[in-house]
Amino acid sequence: MGFREEYAAHVAEREALGVPPLPLSAEQTVEVIEFIKTGEFVEEMLDLLENRVSPGVDDAAYVKAAFLNEVASEEHHVAAIAPEEAVRMLGMMLGGYNVKPLIDVLSSKNEKVVEAAVQALSNTLLVYDAFNDVEELHKAGNAAATKVMTSWANAEWFVNKKELPEKITVTVFKVPGETNTDDLSPASEAFTRSDIPLHANSMLTAKMDDPIGTIKKLKEKGHPVAYVGDVVGTGSSRKSGINSVQWHMGEDIPGVPNKRTGGVVLGGIIAPIFFATSEDSGALPLELDVSQMEMGDVIEIYPYKGEAHKNGECIATFKLNPNTITDEVRAGGRIPLIIGRGLTSKARSVLGMGSTDIFLTADQPKDSGKGYTLAQKMVGKACGLKGVRPGMYCEPEMSTVGSQDTTGPMTRDEIKELAALGFNADLVLQSFCHTAAYPKPSDVQMHHTLPDFIANRSGVALRPGDGVIHSWLNRMVLPDTVGTGADSHTRFPIGISFPGGSGIVAFAGVTGSMPLTMPESVLVRFKGEMQPGITLRDLVNAIPHQAIKEGLLTVEKKGKKNIFAGRILEIEGLPDLKAEQAFELSDASAERSAAACTVRLNKEPVIEYLKSNVTLLNSMIEAGYEDHRTLARRIVKMEEWLEKPELMEPDADAEYAAVIEIDLNQITEPILACPNDPDDVATLSEILASDRPKNIDEVFVGSCMTNIGHYRALGEVLKGEGSVPTRLWVCPPTKMDEKQLTEEGYYALFGAAGARTEIPGCSLCMGNQARVADNAIVFSTSTRNFDNRLGKGAQVYLGSAELAAVCSLLGKIPTKEEYLELTKKIEGKEDDIYKYLNFNLIKDYKLN
């Protein structure tokens, strides 16, 4: 079967799924070019070459650019494509492999070719170091290069785009209540995320009947469809969620197959990471009262007036946030706007022009004259400032960037579209923790190809089975530095992280910085003494518990209050926590919808942590992990800090949006998150007095919320009790934990209890691998408990590993007395149980 027949079969197969064909591979692009050269099926093949090859530095883009370069330079004559037409097609490829050919033909003797090249380059933003080549030509007197430089300086790439209109008419697609990113991008379909149209078929399928058909019917009204919800985008930082919304409600991008931009998202509350990901992607997110908007309503949005109308009446008002969002939408997203502004600035400098007023400037807050919080100082340091005020726009240096495997293929594609062949962030880490245990064929292929892609750009690639990204990435972080990751649980125990979608992670990795409008901070201050039987996980849940008491947080979604949403959670009062323990607190800030988190620690636990981590990173180099130069560079920086260990401190007069004090003396029993909302927290006594389910069918001890101490505690409670009546899942976060627990005999205890042990990684937590039984009542140590996340119809409690052990033994939620009695086995052994892995203290440590 020839190429045309094979491709026609592929098109038909995809049509049956309701999606367009995949972009062409490099091999398919070669076939298409051969047809064009021989003059066969020319119109069909030209369409494929122009519209079905991914741009940037994709392998197929390399083939396409090389061929078009031959035609544009008139090295080869092809009847079907004039040289200037080849240049025009090169200009649609965004950047990367097309840039050098376009610059080369600026010196062509063919005036049509030169004119086309000027037009193409004037609208190409991803030129990177090739900017210097245009500058050299300009200085050498090349008139075409001067035209390009002038066009960049005048921001014609921007001003030639349509402005955001005064009025936008949309049809409402409303999902009442809360939409989380599991609804928009189901974990069970994570393996399709990089195939945007196919993955978009799964949007909202677990939440409503025929969502895709409903959207199609709404489009018949003749207006764009807007996504509307009371609370939109809570949960993980999934670019795939925005991709799905834009696929159904956005518009095509010429020359970029299977991806769309634009679209309108309206929410009473839009989760901050989701809001930022919408900005990055060219959508228009607006927070406003949506209570008078119903499915199928036609409404008019007046973005500059800040009003939404229905039937001629104003039903809601809003304020554009940030004030630059109209420029972001016009540019096709916040990321192209940032890159384009930088290009314009460089060109104006070359031409001796002053600053421009073409772009809106971010509103900056007045300086209050007060002190800075810990977070404000960390971000300030990353910006070369003493501190940053809430509301200030900045672009902090990204010291550490993390990418996990269910978003990794999308990040890879975003990196290709950014036309990047290297990382400028100091350390980029790729993990395989979400797909290692039960890989699908596409996952296996990714395991083989993505590590080289990352390492070849100077990133560090872990291996399937190594364990959870956060447990590794945290060990690579430098104190008081800033980072990001494409997983909402990228929340450092030292330093600070602002998680984002795969697009911003690609941008941060490639450029070494990220856009940030500094959020306000909420201070949570612990005081008093920990009471018997109380764990750090109870303190995690004590934060929303106290906020609810103070009226700062509500469980109800309609008109929801959440003091933490979009703000930085700053925690103090527990300065002697180990770094692994501090991460329990920072990790859970994701469930609060906080933008970031800091934990104020003394120097001693940080020193202990970094000494251990230096040994681990050295052992990674010995074990052949790449890129070894990046690891070595991070080791040097850790050792430099250890030579002169200093930590930032908040100023005494720092300002906070709220201060919440939690008295440890008053926490005398475990606090759990109840089914199925991480904000719905209650004590054991409150649960037993309610109508919530009390029996427990399955228990999961695992996820990034755990460390080795939790598994020892689990084993001690289970010791001598025989097989438990529940289905017990045990999954340590790293292979180092697994090895140590095995050597200490705890795996024997898990086996005696009848536990199902999983390879280190995320296991049940994300819900894309193994699943609990349908409609099971579950107690879990995992991160969040949204509907259908761990299993279809599952009702999930979240709490400590110690309470998990008791629930697994009793098959029910225990009373406070039962819990305290069964956990007495831990008493007197705390120093041994909660002893963390200090690799530097293990003689001749080797990473196996």
Side-chain angles (χ1 to χ4, degrees):
M1 186 184 295
F3 165 75
R4 290 185 72 246
E5 292 76 17
E6 289 177 357
Y7 190 72
H10 170 69
V11 170
E13 180 184 343
R14 298 278 289 183
E15 276 183 351
L17 298 171
V19 296
L22 291 169
L24 296 178
S25 67
E27 292 75 17
Q28 289 174 317
T29 306
V30 170
E31 296 270 12
V32 167
I33 289 169
E34 287 305 312
F35 277 113
I36 293 172
K37 286 180 176 179
T38 59
E40 298 179 87
F41 313 106
V42 169
E43 189 173 333
E44 175 188 342
M45 296 301 149
L46 284 175
D47 178 67
L48 290 177
L49 185 66
E50 180 168 330
N51 297 308
R52 302 307 305 169
V53 177
S54 295
V57 293
D58 185 84
D59 289 346
Y62 180 85
V63 175
K64 176 179 177 179
F67 167 63
L68 292 175
N69 178 41
E70 291 177 352
V71 179
S73 64
E74 301 184 72
E75 181 181 336
H76 291 294
H77 173 74
V78 177
I81 309 176
E84 63 271 21
E85 177 65 8
V87 172
R88 185 194 67 79
M89 292 173 71
L90 280 167
M92 297 177 68
M93 296 178 67
L94 301 184
Y97 297 131
N98 67 326
V99 174
K100 187 178 185 304
L102 289 173
I103 294 173
D104 287 345
V105 297
L106 289 176
S107 303
S108 171
K109 295 179 181 178
N110 185 328
E111 290 184 6
K112 290 183 178 179
V113 167
V114 173
E115 184 179 344
V118 169
Q119 178 67 25
L121 280 168
S122 295
N123 292 285
T124 300
L125 305 182
L126 303 173
V127 295
Y128 300 115
D129 290 344
F131 178 92
N132 301 325
D133 299 328
V134 178
E135 181 182 359
E136 286 181 12
L137 285 173
H138 155 68
K139 289 180 176 177
N142 183 300
T146 300
K147 285 184 180 180
V148 172
M149 192 68 68
T150 303
S151 177
W152 286 339
N154 292 329
E156 291 179 1
W157 61 267
F158 177 76
V159 296
N160 290 340
K161 294 178 181 288
K162 291 181 181 178
E163 293 185 57
L164 189 68
E166 296 284 341
K167 181 177 79 170
I168 304 169
T169 303
V170 297
T171 301
V172 169
F173 175 80
K174 187 169 184 179
V175 183
E178 178 181 65
T179 308
N180 61 61
T181 50
D182 277 359
D183 298 322
L184 297 173
S185 171
S188 59
E189 302 299 316
F191 66 100
T192 65
R193 283 181 181 156
S194 61
D195 185 348
I196 293 172
L198 184 60
H199 188 69
N201 280 343
S202 66
M203 186 179 86
L204 297 171
T205 51
K207 196 171 182 71
M208 60 188 296
D209 293 332
D210 194 22
I212 311 307
T214 302
I215 294 170
K216 288 179 179 177
K217 287 181 181 178
L218 292 176
K219 286 181 177 179
E220 293 174 3
K221 295 194 175 188
H223 307 295
V225 174
Y227 193 100
V228 181
D230 297 304
V231 181
V232 181
T234 53
S236 299
S237 48
R238 290 189 184 158
K239 176 73 182 297
S240 51
I242 279 291
N243 283 342
S244 292
V245 171
Q246 288 187 310
W247 183 254
H248 295 300
M249 303 176 193
E251 55 194 44
D252 290 331
I253 308 172
V256 182
N258 294 14
K259 189 173 184 179
R260 289 175 177 157
T261 188
V264 176
V265 178
L266 308 176
I269 293 176
I270 302 177
I273 298 175
F274 195 78
F275 191 104
T277 306
S278 302
E279 288 183 82
D280 297 335
S281 307
L284 176 63
L286 298 172
E287 285 192 320
L288 73 171
D289 179 6
V290 299
S291 60
Q292 296 186 61
M293 300 179 193
E294 301 299 336
M295 184 77 82
D297 284 349
V298 175
I299 64 169
E300 294 86 31
I301 300 167
Y302 296 87
Y304 301 99
K305 290 170 61 177
E307 294 179 357
H309 290 206
K310 182 171 74 172
N311 299 327
E313 294 185 5
C314 181
I315 59 171
T317 60
F318 58 88
K319 181 180 179 182
L320 287 175
N321 180 40
N323 69 296
T324 55
I325 199 165
T326 54
D327 276 7
E328 294 171 1
V329 174
R330 185 179 185 182
R334 183 170 59 163
I335 289 174
L337 178 62
I338 292 169
I339 294 170
R341 283 190 314 216
L343 180 64
T344 292
S345 178
K346 285 177 68 177
R348 294 181 77 83
S349 177
V350 167
L351 297 176
M353 301 167 69
S355 59
T356 177
D357 59 0
I358 293 172
F359 307 108
L360 294 171
T361 56
D363 289 339
Q364 300 290 35
K366 293 180 180 179
D367 195 327
S368 65
K370 297 287 187 178
Y372 294 104
T373 73
L374 181 56
Q376 289 162 8
K377 285 189 173 183
M378 289 179 182
V379 175
K381 176 186 171 186
C383 295
L385 302 169
K386 182 180 178 181
V388 293
R389 299 293 180 193
M392 179 178 174
Y393 176 81
C394 54
E395 295 179 10
E397 176 187 353
M398 291 293 104
S399 173
T400 309
V401 176
S403 171
Q404 51 98 336
D405 40 338
T406 62
T407 57
M410 292 192 301
T411 301
R412 174 201 62 205
D413 293 345
E414 301 274 2
I415 291 167
K416 288 179 181 180
E417 286 187 20
L418 286 171
L421 296 172
F423 293 128
N424 282 300
D426 191 57
L427 187 145
V428 177
L429 179 73
Q430 175 65 53
S431 80
F432 298 93
C433 47
H434 292 71
T435 59
Y438 304 96
K440 295 177 172 63
S442 59
D443 296 328
V444 174
Q445 182 181 10
M446 173 188 61
H447 295 169
H448 288 303
T449 58
L450 190 54
D452 286 343
F453 180 91
I454 296 295
N456 289 341
R457 286 166 170 76
S458 78
V460 177
L462 296 178
R463 298 164 183 171
D466 279 352
V468 178
I469 182 170
H470 314 297
S471 303
W472 284 84
L473 189 66
N474 290 345
R475 288 188 170 275
M476 300 179 186
V477 173
L478 295 167
D480 294 337
T481 58
V482 184
T484 188
D487 185 304
S488 59
H489 294 101
T490 309
R491 312 274 173 150
F492 302 154
I494 56 177
I496 189 169
S497 170
F498 294 87
S502 57
I504 201 64
V505 167
F507 180 80
V510 168
T511 67
S513 66
M514 71 175 284
L516 177 69
T517 300
M518 188 66 182
E520 293 181 294
S521 289
V522 173
L523 178 64
V524 171
R525 182 186 293 124
F526 289 96
K527 64 180 182 180
E529 300 293 330
M530 290 271 282
Q531 299 302 297
I534 300 306
T535 69
L536 272 171
R537 188 60 182 265
D538 299 315
L539 303 193
V540 163
N541 289 327
I543 295 173
H545 197 255
Q546 185 66 30
I548 289 170
K549 285 182 181 180
E550 296 183 18
L552 300 173
L553 176 68
T554 59
V555 177
E556 174 64 33
K557 304 305 175 187
K558 196 168 186 178
K560 184 177 177 68
K561 292 181 181 178
N562 184 356
I563 190 65
F564 308 106
R567 294 188 169 99
I568 299 170
L569 177 55
E570 304 204 35
I571 299 172
E572 63 180 38
L574 301 166
D576 295 319
L577 291 179
K578 303 295 186 184
E580 291 91 337
Q581 295 174 310
F583 181 58
E584 283 189 68
L585 293 170
S586 63
D587 191 4
S589 66
E591 274 55 72
R592 308 283 74 81
S593 291
C597 181
T598 64
V599 182
R600 186 178 175 186
L601 296 177
N602 286 333
K603 284 191 290 188
E604 289 72 21
V606 179
I607 292 169
E608 178 184 358
Y609 195 50
L610 260 66
K611 285 182 177 178
S612 175
N613 297 342
V614 166
T615 299
L616 178 64
L617 267 60
N618 272 314
S619 67
M620 290 179 70
I621 293 173
E622 277 188 50
Y625 283 80
E626 293 293 351
D627 179 81
H628 68 276
R629 295 163 298 182
T630 296
L631 290 168
R633 185 172 62 245
R634 184 49 55 99
I635 290 168
V636 169
K637 292 185 178 181
M638 287 180 172
E639 290 175 336
E640 288 173 350
W641 185 88
L642 286 167
E643 288 176 7
K644 190 180 179 182
E646 292 181 356
L647 291 174
M648 290 180 166
E649 297 283 340
D651 292 326
D653 61 342
E655 297 176 300
Y656 301 91
V659 178
I660 301 172
E661 285 203 343
I662 299 175
D663 188 349
L664 297 174
N665 297 312
Q666 295 181 7
I667 304 173
T668 59
E669 60 180 312
I671 305 174
L672 290 69
C674 302
N676 269 349
D677 187 340
D679 283 344
D680 186 9
V681 290
T683 64
L684 278 181
S685 299
E686 290 167 343
I687 290 169
L688 293 174
S690 72
D691 59 358
R692 296 180 175 98
K694 313 298 189 299
N695 63 299
I696 297 294
D697 302 314
E698 304 197 32
V699 174
F700 173 58
V701 181
S703 87
C704 56
M705 285 293 285
T706 63
N707 56 59
I708 195 169
H710 297 133
Y711 297 88
R712 293 195 188 104
L714 170 67
E716 293 297 329
V717 174
L718 295 177
K719 187 184 291 183
E721 298 291 345
S723 183
V724 298
T726 54
R727 190 184 194 195
L728 173 61
W729 305 70
V730 177
C731 182
T734 73
K735 68 178 182 180
M736 298 84 78
D737 298 308
E738 179 186 51
K739 180 185 178 187
Q740 188 68 23
L741 290 166
T742 301
E743 290 177 357
E744 293 177 7
Y746 283 101
Y747 264 69
L749 296 177
F750 302 151
R756 172 174 173 168
T757 55
E758 302 259 299
I759 70 168
C762 298
S763 186
L764 286 177
C765 181
M766 185 178 166
N768 67 315
Q769 299 183 88
R771 309 271 283 171
V772 299
D774 291 355
N775 304 312
I777 311 298
V778 183
F779 187 95
S780 175
T781 64
S782 57
T783 54
R784 51 176 60 116
N785 57 348
F786 296 145
D787 289 342
N788 304 306
R789 183 178 177 94
L790 267 66
K792 185 178 179 181
Q795 296 187 65
V796 182
Y797 288 96
L798 301 176
S800 70
E802 292 81 356
L803 183 53
V806 174
C807 289
S808 70
L809 280 175
L810 300 181
K812 65 171 188 173
I813 299 290
T815 64
K816 172 184 174 181
E817 292 71 26
E818 287 172 327
Y819 167 76
L820 292 174
E821 180 63 30
L822 284 168
T823 53
K824 280 183 179 178
K825 291 183 175 183
I826 295 172
E827 291 179 9
K829 303 177 184 176
E830 288 89 350
D831 288 346
D832 290 329
I833 290 173
Y834 303 108
K835 179 173 65 179
Y836 300 96
L837 285 177
N838 287 333
F839 301 107
N840 57 311
L841 301 180
I842 301 174
K843 186 178 180 181
D844 300 323
Y845 179 75
K846 301 287 184 185
L847 183 63
N848 296 328

